[in-house]
Amino acid sequence: MRMRFVVMVMLLPALMRAGSECRSSCRLTNISITMESEECGSCITIDTTACAGFCTTQDRVYRSPMMQNYQNTCNIIEWTYNTYEFKRCPPGIDSVFTYPVALSCECSKCNSDIADCGALSQQTSSCTVH
């Protein structure tokens, strides 16, 4: 009996730490964006940051048409934009690609004015081979 108590006390900090990670895992994460310019004949992959993770939410047992129901999602709070210029482009071709870089994240209602609030695609992006 005493041995079980000692093991439980030793495991308690690990369990509490694991529980806190599950409660709020919305954070900045590194992602790669593949960009292709057919006009410039090049394809590159750029590393940037985005927001990803799970947010604590509760789903109601009874859904009333009178009450709006939404779930919190992991959203970008602050962001900036970086640019990449494709090399060896013909004259007159727009060779600049602008992409977002997330600076901070939070769990909140999805703002459809600035984000796509639909389901994420599981399809990976890559340059097409011609």
Side-chain angles (χ1 to χ4, degrees):
M1 182 68 170
R2 182 175 167 90
M3 183 63 164
R4 279 191 218 165
F5 177 74
V6 171
V7 170
M8 289 176 64
V9 169
M10 290 174 55
L11 288 176
L12 188 59
L15 292 172
M16 290 177 68
R17 191 170 39 253
S20 66
E21 288 174 8
C22 292
R23 275 194 302 274
S24 178
S25 66
C26 175
R27 60 181 160 247
L28 291 173
T29 187
N30 295 324
I31 64 167
S32 297
I33 299 174
T34 303
M35 300 179 296
E36 180 178 17
S37 173
E38 291 180 10
E39 296 87 3
C40 301
S42 60
C43 175
I44 63 151
T45 300
I46 289 180
D47 295 322
T48 186
T49 54
C51 295
F54 297 103
C55 297
T56 304
T57 188
Q58 292 182 344
D59 202 8
R60 297 183 179 172
V61 175
Y62 172 74
R63 293 189 185 185
S64 169
M66 304 300 282
M67 297 176 67
Q68 287 186 338
N69 187 30
Y70 69 89
Q71 293 187 355
N72 284 334
T73 57
C74 185
N75 297 301
I76 297 174
I77 301 172
E78 295 178 285
W79 66 91
T80 187
Y81 291 97
N82 284 351
T83 58
Y84 175 82
E85 186 170 356
F86 286 99
K87 311 296 184 241
R88 300 182 307 274
C89 294
I93 298 296
D94 184 11
S95 61
V96 177
F97 178 78
T98 303
Y99 59 96
V101 179
L103 301 175
S104 60
C105 308
E106 75 175 355
C107 288
S108 60
K109 181 179 176 183
C110 185
N111 182 351
S112 59
D113 292 339
I114 61 169
D116 180 4
C117 298
L120 292 175
S121 171
Q122 296 300 315
Q123 183 178 10
T124 58
S125 63
S126 64
C127 294
T128 58
V129 177
H130 297 285

